[in-house]
Amino acid sequence: MSRWLVISDNHGDRDILVALKKQLQPDAVFHCGDSEMTADDPWFQDAYVVQGNMDFDTNLPLVVTSEVDGRQVLLTHGHHDGVNWDLTQLKLRADAAQAEAVFYGHTHQLAAEVVGGHLFVNPGSISQPRGEFQYLGGTCAVITVTATQWIVQYVTRDGQPVPDLKFTFARTETQKG
């Protein structure tokens, strides 16, 4: 079992990244872009990070595909994949990468669902949330990964879990492959 922190769209608010990483102490950290920080920022050490549409450091990759704890993970901001409209392009990218989990940002709205055998998680924006849950003041996702489940718990800026925003997804047989 491991715990992953998925965060996005802090838009220059580095302090919130430092605070959440220290408080939550995840086993792995994924940043879905729009940090507005440079690729050599010490916070990114030991983190998976991609470039968003508001990141101007071209040393940040647009897409990262990595094996983490034995699971193939695809990380992107999503602006090149049309995530404002649907997940079709991102699903095709996930199929090609044989990704079990896909983390993306850009919309500033949290989302967690399984599409075509892939777990898709948007942590929302930690600094500039939009949509139904913007009243929370910003969210990120803490994902507990087990042999049989993905447990996605949304957390507020102060590191507190949101009770109504906890979702459990079974890993399908095709994912266990």
Side-chain angles (χ1 to χ4, degrees):
M1 182 171 75
S2 59
R3 285 174 18 111
W4 298 352
L5 171 62
V6 182
I7 198 162
S8 190
D9 295 277
N10 60 294
H11 290 282
D13 185 351
R14 186 180 186 283
D15 292 343
I16 192 62
L17 300 181
V18 171
L20 285 168
K21 191 174 184 181
K22 182 178 178 180
Q23 180 180 356
L24 299 173
Q25 297 186 359
D27 298 308
V29 176
F30 302 86
H31 194 293
C32 302
D34 278 0
S35 67
E36 299 185 37
M37 296 159 42
T38 59
D40 61 354
D41 190 288
W43 191 87
F44 290 144
Q45 185 177 356
D46 301 323
Y48 301 90
V49 59
V50 293
Q51 181 183 125
N53 59 299
M54 298 300 294
D55 291 317
F56 299 104
D57 186 337
T58 57
N59 292 314
L60 291 166
L62 291 174
V63 178
V64 170
T65 304
S66 294
E67 186 174 307
V68 182
D69 296 331
R71 290 153 182 87
Q72 193 72 0
V73 178
L74 174 70
L75 178 66
T76 188
H77 188 60
H79 59 298
H80 289 294
D81 296 298
V83 297
N84 282 332
W85 295 276
D86 64 30
L87 296 178
T88 303
Q89 287 180 290
L90 196 51
K91 183 198 171 294
L92 292 172
R93 187 185 296 273
D95 289 344
Q98 298 181 329
E100 189 172 340
V102 180
F103 304 145
Y104 68 101
H106 187 58
T107 66
H108 292 224
Q109 297 184 56
L110 61 88
E113 61 185 308
V114 173
V115 178
H118 311 282
L119 173 68
F120 287 86
V121 174
N122 185 327
S125 171
I126 197 63
S127 295
Q128 300 174 7
R130 297 180 189 144
E132 179 181 359
F133 300 104
Q134 70 183 20
Y135 72 92
L136 294 170
T139 56
C140 60
V142 174
I143 302 175
T144 302
V145 184
T146 74
T148 60
Q149 296 180 320
W150 300 93
I151 303 165
V152 180
Q153 174 66 69
Y154 284 92
V155 175
T156 59
R157 284 179 60 87
D158 61 358
Q160 297 305 304
V162 182
D164 293 340
L165 294 177
K166 182 177 183 179
F167 307 97
T168 301
F169 300 95
R171 291 183 63 214
T172 66
E173 289 305 312
T174 56
Q175 287 174 320
K176 290 179 186 176

